[in-house]
Amino acid sequence: MVTMRAFGASLGCVWVVACGYLAALGMLLQMAEARCTDRANPKCCTGRNNECFEFTRRKAVCFCDTYCQKTGDCCADYQAVCQISVQNASAGELRTECCKAIDCVVGSWGPWSECSSLCGGGSKERTRQVTVPPRNGGTPCPDLKQRRGCFGHSPVCNAAEEVAKILPDSYKRNFKDPWRRPHILMKEVKPSYCVHFRVKQASAACRLGLWSSPLLRERSVCIECQGEAMGSRSRCEGDGLEATRTFWTAASVPGCQGSWVRESSREQCTCPQHSLIFV
């Protein structure tokens, strides 16, 4: 009987000691919690502010910025402390609400633009606008511009693919035939026009020809399109496109070829002497 009492008494003591230990541990944990009220002013911060934090006694970190609501690392008293009073203009009363994060909201995509290249590979793009900007650490806005590839094939692309054949103006065709019969019906003579190019590339073989040797890189040249060279069309083959690189070849100098960029053209025009003509 004495033994059972003694055992009961000792068990009661153990229970009391355990309860006291748990109570003390709870007090320590409560003291170990970091609080926004423990921070120096400003106690709370708007948006995302990595400097707006407080250490617990165990050197753990909690935050007092509005972004902590998204990351779940707010201090224990954030909701109670980090609130702002906002003047309600309609009712004239003060109401309290938390600085909640506002995510970015964007509108619908606009239409795709035209292909950036008239001929060959290019790109298209489309955009959208921000309808609600992000605030208080809300989700940032997504991409506002999209781009994708395209292949331009304008009706003028065929002209860009043509290779011009050129000769010196000594090969002009509009000579007068002394044997032409006056009563023979003559063809309608089409007026000539001039095209000015900037040479961008010329092969080494061009230096072997007397008339082709001046075809040097960045040299400006005038090429005349005579009516006889047009054939059934209204222009000469290979007369190029404005600000577009096209290609040429010298008809009487083997291996002489290159590229150029059309700078301007002029109707009813003849190039100066010692210029070139389209074939």
Side-chain angles (χ1 to χ4, degrees):
M1 187 70 177
V2 176
T3 304
M4 291 298 295
R5 286 182 178 178
F7 176 75
S10 61
L11 184 60
C13 291
V14 171
W15 178 257
V16 171
V17 172
C19 292
Y21 176 77
L22 290 175
L25 181 60
M27 292 180 63
L28 287 175
L29 289 175
Q30 186 176 4
M31 292 175 60
E33 287 185 352
R35 299 178 301 173
C36 296
T37 53
D38 297 332
R39 279 179 43 79
N41 289 328
K43 300 185 181 299
C44 305
C45 312
T46 58
R48 183 174 182 174
N49 188 343
N50 291 338
E51 301 297 325
C52 190
F53 66 90
E54 183 63 29
F55 279 118
T56 67
R57 295 200 175 189
R58 288 189 262 178
K59 299 302 180 182
V61 176
C62 66
F63 290 87
C64 298
D65 59 352
T66 51
Y67 195 73
C68 73
Q69 297 175 100
K70 298 178 68 68
T71 54
D73 52 5
C74 297
C75 292
D77 61 348
Y78 173 81
Q79 293 295 336
V81 175
C82 294
Q83 293 182 332
I84 60 171
S85 295
V86 181
Q87 181 71 31
N88 189 332
S90 60
E93 297 176 351
L94 289 177
R95 61 186 176 88
T96 302
E97 61 181 20
C98 183
C99 297
K100 293 183 179 179
I102 299 176
D103 297 335
C104 178
V105 179
V106 296
S108 302
W109 287 107
W112 288 101
S113 66
E114 297 294 331
C115 190
S116 61
S117 175
L118 291 176
C119 308
S123 63
K124 291 183 175 183
E125 64 179 34
R126 64 178 182 176
T127 59
R128 56 183 175 180
Q129 303 297 322
V130 176
T131 56
V132 179
R135 294 193 296 272
N136 301 331
T139 302
C141 294
D143 291 337
L144 301 177
K145 180 183 293 186
Q146 282 185 341
R147 180 175 295 176
R148 70 180 182 184
C150 61
F151 190 84
H153 192 71
S154 171
V156 300
C157 295
N158 293 334
E161 297 172 357
E162 294 174 350
V163 178
K165 297 180 179 63
I166 56 175
L167 283 173
D169 59 0
S170 57
Y171 285 83
K172 287 185 177 180
R173 303 180 182 183
N174 56 352
F175 59 91
K176 293 183 178 180
D177 186 359
W179 302 102
R180 186 186 299 276
R181 301 286 186 180
H183 63 277
I184 296 179
L185 184 63
M186 298 179 62
K187 295 181 180 179
E188 180 185 359
V189 178
K190 298 177 182 179
S192 300
Y193 66 90
C194 306
V195 184
H196 293 271
F197 292 93
R198 174 84 48 188
V199 178
K200 292 299 179 181
Q201 185 180 5
S203 62
C206 297
R207 294 195 292 267
L208 303 178
L210 181 62
W211 67 269
S212 61
S213 56
L215 291 170
L216 303 174
R217 190 172 185 271
E218 296 302 327
R219 176 73 63 85
S220 179
V221 294
C222 180
I223 317 294
E224 182 178 334
C225 176
Q226 299 175 353
E228 292 292 334
M230 298 180 195
S232 60
R233 303 188 301 180
S234 60
R235 65 178 186 85
C236 287
E237 183 176 0
D239 61 354
L241 292 173
E242 298 287 338
T244 301
R245 181 181 291 233
T246 54
F247 299 91
W248 56 268
T249 181
S252 64
V253 182
C256 178
Q257 58 191 6
S259 63
W260 53 23
V261 173
R262 176 172 166 172
E263 294 184 325
S264 64
S265 63
R266 183 179 176 186
E267 298 295 329
Q268 299 184 0
C269 164
T270 57
C271 289
Q273 192 176 5
H274 305 302
S275 295
L276 305 174
I277 61 172
F278 290 103
V279 178

